[in-house]
Amino acid sequence: AWGAQMEIGAFPTSYIPTTSSSASRSADYAKITNLSRQPWYSNDIGTLLCDFGPTYQNQSIGLRVLNIQSENGTVKYNLEGYRAEMRITNSWLGINFDNETSAGGKVAMCYDNTGFDAASYGSSYSELTATPYYDPDSSLNIGHLNTVVCSTTIKKVAYWPVRLPNAALQTITEE
């Protein structure tokens, strides 16, 4: 078989085999289970970074681009295009970014057993102090949470097993 495929976009994508009608690409997302068994991951301290592209047709950037979820379904740490959140017992402690955009960018959060800090697009936000929800069995979800898939391209995900200082958070989220 032979054929051609035309798409609008900044980069090439994989071939979608079709016959007589067009087809949409399914969303790509990743999940790493059993994080506590990974030698590079610490459940007690860390820094998460997500660099994401423009949202599809300027859709909401409120969809979760990166999160750590316990095996019982409780989201412990959540990073969105406009917000960073940490679960504390039965509620959320969150930082809203005041420079949200559907054009994409870099967002990061660092956490330990005393609370968390966050930064987006080179701006840092005040530390929030609280004891996080604890469950050692967790998974890392990239680009989705359960059945909700984010409408953007995730360019880069990074994790450090330390709580980076505020100045470092600003640097890693600069464009």
Side-chain angles (χ1 to χ4, degrees), residues 32 35 40-52 64-69 75-80 83-87 92 97 105-112 115-121 138-143 154 156-166 168-173:
I32 301 171
L35 276 180
W40 49 267
Y41 175 74
S42 170
N43 199 37
D44 300 322
I45 189 170
T47 300
L48 297 167
L49 166 75
C50 187
D51 182 359
F52 61 99
R64 293 173 166 102
V65 291
L66 188 64
N67 64 78
I68 296 177
Q69 179 181 23
V75 176
K76 299 178 353 177
Y77 302 106
N78 181 44
L79 199 51
E80 302 181 3
R83 185 171 173 79
E85 298 172 311
M86 180 179 77
R87 169 73 77 178
W92 286 103
F97 303 139
K106 296 176 185 176
V107 291
M109 70 182 294
C110 60
Y111 59 89
D112 62 17
F116 78 105
D117 289 325
S120 71
Y121 317 104
S138 301
S139 59
L140 174 65
N141 299 306
I142 303 170
I154 297 187
K156 177 181 180 178
V157 169
Y159 167 80
W160 293 263
V162 296
R163 182 173 175 165
L164 293 178
N166 214 2
L169 281 182
Q170 287 179 275
T171 300
I172 65 174
T173 60

Side-chain angles (χ1 to χ4, degrees), residues 90-170:
N90 293 320
S91 62
W92 286 103
L93 189 60
I95 296 173
N96 287 322
F97 303 139
D98 58 7
N99 51 5
E100 88 176 67
T101 174
S102 60
K106 296 176 185 176
V107 291
M109 70 182 294
C110 60
Y111 59 89
D112 62 17
N113 59 4
T114 65
F116 78 105
D117 289 325
S120 71
Y121 317 104
S123 297
S124 64
Y125 295 85
S126 300
E127 175 183 3
L128 296 179
T129 305
T131 302
Y133 173 85
Y134 183 79
D135 183 346
D137 296 322
S138 301
S139 59
L140 174 65
N141 299 306
I142 303 170
H144 74 102
L145 177 62
N146 302 325
T147 60
V148 179
V149 179
C150 67
S151 61
T152 186
T153 301
I154 297 187
K155 300 176 186 179
K156 177 181 180 178
V157 169
Y159 167 80
W160 293 263
V162 296
R163 182 173 175 165
L164 293 178
N166 214 2
L169 281 182
Q170 287 179 275

